[in-house]
């Protein structure tokens, strides 16, 4: 198991979306009371957290709070509530169309490319190092049929594709990669990172291990300090995925950042996962990937190819949810009678 | 909803409006919580079991007697790998009876009593095959809540729009087919793995916490609340677990009705005290969630904590 997949292409488990009923309720109310037929894109926030159970992955979740407030007095309040450890906030954009036809007519490739370009620019401007959540920027297109209370939607999690793909040298449970002493220190430091309100929702970080087997966790911007004191340096991220031999989606743009900004060819990464809210190193993975920096990446000119439209049960189709049961006034009246 | 239930809801709502929240502790005497005790117990749950967090919910539904940022507790994406009904069969098959409280069996803690008349299982010892088949049937026969045929036939078939043009993505680095699958590569697991958002609100009328369930299928699409009842111990489905409006969230959600919570908690507290354990109010939610687990045995939410439950065990 330890060396499984070595030398093969590093494959990432796609992000999965999950939309809370409250999101659609607020979108409907905004559409009716505020936006009207204005279909300009709306900045929204998604939330995610590291995998916290050995058998299920975490999702990029949209809640009512993902949208701006729909009440008028509330408009003075900040639209987005700061995340907590179970809700790391990720910026996204919503294109809500007025008709089914315009929903289908959206230029999906173009929209995905536009979001990928923002990520690409944030990587090169250094914004992604300061505010790493922008690496997981996402896109949502929707058509809200308010007459039937049905919502058609499709998520994309843009990932900059390395060409050629990164190959895997080694991937194993973190508990097997670290020595016992190191593992203990890594767990303790990660738990502390997750418990502090300052860092709990910072999904990308650096783990370095000194010669005394003690781990230190730092922000991405402190890479130089890590390289000085660390014998072992790992690029770590909150991994929403639970699979034992695949890292989750956020690692893709993280690798793009690492190879284009720091010009590394071999990258050791830590897929940080939890069990019941605490660091679990047998569930977490440590891997080593080889990257060939693609042509033109250092010049930052052309935006790399991007992928990331979410599949619906394996098919390239949008999802649909009907909320007539909780939105249709006639049905509500009947059930209330 | 039944008429009597409606009338009771209206009555409860009126009482809640005109009476102030409980401020004096009656935790040991009645098994109930004051508002400030609910906050203390909630803070402790969040700190010991960090998958739980406080939320503020819909601004329009905020309760003035609770702090704005601590309106209710929630843990999201909790796995539920099997339906409760099948688990009960397994207990019964093994001759198991789990009764936490023998002397006064009021139906709360006796979660896996004798099997009721089950004509579909010939004997008390169902073979593995019959179990398997039953599980498949329960899950597969469910019409999907959304996009279900019902009266939605004018929703265009999405297959017509399957996009060959727009979204062609061939990418060797994308892992194909990642369903929310339990570990064994067994087709069945795809169907059985559900996830839940479990929330705890403060019920001002009963002065106890109240548990709410929002279920999702394997592709994280919302489950009809009625289907949630499959994950409720069959002794409680439709009786103590009802489908009602969530006090802080839109839509109908399944909820463990709190009318007996105070009495049950009082009993648990009495048992602890008789064993010489002084119950502390900040542990209330751990005890509470432990007993709620008897109602929703397969939903693996987190309430683990080291307790001193005294020497004897039932």
């Amino acid at each position: 198991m330890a060396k499984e997949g070595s030398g093969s292409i590093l494959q990432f488990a796609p992000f999965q979306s999950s939309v809370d009923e409250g999101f659609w309720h607020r979108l409907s109310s905004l559409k009716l009371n505020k936006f009207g037929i204005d279909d300009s894109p709306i900045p929204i926030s998604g939330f995610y957290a590291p995998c916290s159970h050995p058998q299920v992955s975490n999702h990029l979740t949209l809640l009512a709070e993902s949208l701006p407030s729909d009440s008028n007095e509330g408009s003075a309040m900040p639209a987005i509530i700061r995340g907590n450890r179970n809700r790391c906030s990720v910026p996204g954009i919503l294109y809500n169309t007025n008709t089914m036809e315009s929903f289908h007519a959206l230029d999906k490739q173009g929209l995905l490319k536009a979001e990928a370009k923002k990520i690409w620019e944030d990587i090169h401007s250094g914004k992604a190092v300061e505010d790493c959540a922008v690496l997981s920027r996402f896109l949502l297109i929707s058509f809200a049929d308010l007459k039937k209370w049905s919502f058609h939607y499709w998520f994309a999690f843009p990932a900059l594709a390395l060409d050629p793909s990164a190959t895997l040298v080694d991937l194993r449970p973190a508990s097997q990669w670290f020595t016992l002493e190191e593992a203990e220190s890594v767990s303790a430091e990660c738990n502390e990172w997750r418990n502090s309100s300052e860092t709990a929702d910072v999904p990308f970080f650096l783990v370095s291990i000194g010669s005394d087997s003690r781990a230190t966790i730092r922000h991405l911007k402190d890479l130089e300090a890590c390289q000085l004191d660390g014998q072992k340096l790992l690029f770590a991220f909150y991994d929403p995925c639970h699979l034992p031999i695949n890292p989750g989606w956020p690692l893709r743009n993280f690798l793009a950042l690492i190879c284009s900004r720091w010009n590394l060819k071999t990258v050791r990464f830590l897929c940080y996962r939890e069990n019941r809210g605490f660091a679990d190193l047998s569930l977490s993975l440590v891997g080593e990937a080889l990257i060939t920096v693609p042509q033109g990446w250092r010049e930052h000119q052309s935006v790399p190819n991007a992928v990331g439209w979410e599949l619906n049960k394996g098919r390239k189709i949008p999802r649909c949810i009907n909320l007539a049961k909780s939105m249709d006034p006639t049905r509500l009246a009947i059930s209330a009678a | 909803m039944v008429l009597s239930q409606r009338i009771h809801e209206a009555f409860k709502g009126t009482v809640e409006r005109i009476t102030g929240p409980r401020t004096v502790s009656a935790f040991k005497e009645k098994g109930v919580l004051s508002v400030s005790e609910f906050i203390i117990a909630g803070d402790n749950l969040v700190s010991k079991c960090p998958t739980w967090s406080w939320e503020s919910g819909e601004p329009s539904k905020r309760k003035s007697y609770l702090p704005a940022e601590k309106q209710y507790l929630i843990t999201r994406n909790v796995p539920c790998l099997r339906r409760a009904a099948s688990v009960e069969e397994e207990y019964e098959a093994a001759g198991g009876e789990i009764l936490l409280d023998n002397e006064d069996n009021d139906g709360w803690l006796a979660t896996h009593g004798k099997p009721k008349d089950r004509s579909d299982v010939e004997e008390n010892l169902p073979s593995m095959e019959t179990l398997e088949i039953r599980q498949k049937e329960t899950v597969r026969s469910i019409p999907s809540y959304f996009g279900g045929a019902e009266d939605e036939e004018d929703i265009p078939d999405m297959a017509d729009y399957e996009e060959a043009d727009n979204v062609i993505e061939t990418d060797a680095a994308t892992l194909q087919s990642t369903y929310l699958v339990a570990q064994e590569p067994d087709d069945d697991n795809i169907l059985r793995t559900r996830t839940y958002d479990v929330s705890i609100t403060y019920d001002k009328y009963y002065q106890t916490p109240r548990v709410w369930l929002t279920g999702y299928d394997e592709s994280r699409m919302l489950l009809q609340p009625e289907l949630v009842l499959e994950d409720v111990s069959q002794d409680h489905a439709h009786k103590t677990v009802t489908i009602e409006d969530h006090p802080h969230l839109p839509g109908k959600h399944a909820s463990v009705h709190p009318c007996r919570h105070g009495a049950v908690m009082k009993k648990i507290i009495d048992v602890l005290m008789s064993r010489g354990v002084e119950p502390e109010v900040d542990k209330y939610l751990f005890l509470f969630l432990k007993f709620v687990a008897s109602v929703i045995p397969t939903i693996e939410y987190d309430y683990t904590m080291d307790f001193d439950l005294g020497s004897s065990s039932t």
Side-chain angles (χ1 to χ4, degrees), chain A residues 162-181:
Chain A
L162 292 166
D163 184 22
S165 303
T167 53
L168 204 51
V169 179
D170 182 26
L171 184 70
R172 62 179 86 189
S175 53
Q176 292 176 21
W177 194 83
F178 293 114
T179 67
L180 226 61
E181 226 181 338

Side-chain angles (χ1 to χ4, degrees), chain B residues 189-230:
Chain B
N189 285 311
I190 293 176
L191 296 163
R192 275 184 272 151
T193 304
R194 289 179 176 177
T195 53
Y196 277 90
D197 293 348
V198 182
S199 57
I200 303 175
T201 59
Y202 181 74
D203 192 285
K204 194 178 159 205
Y205 179 83
Y206 292 106
Q207 300 169 356
T208 60
R210 177 170 189 170
V211 164
W212 299 84
L213 303 169
T214 313
Y216 299 87
D217 70 9
E218 77 291 341
S219 51
R220 195 67 192 179
M221 293 299 279
L222 202 56
L223 279 180
Q224 196 174 5
E226 285 72 23
L227 299 184
V228 169
L229 296 177
E230 295 173 345

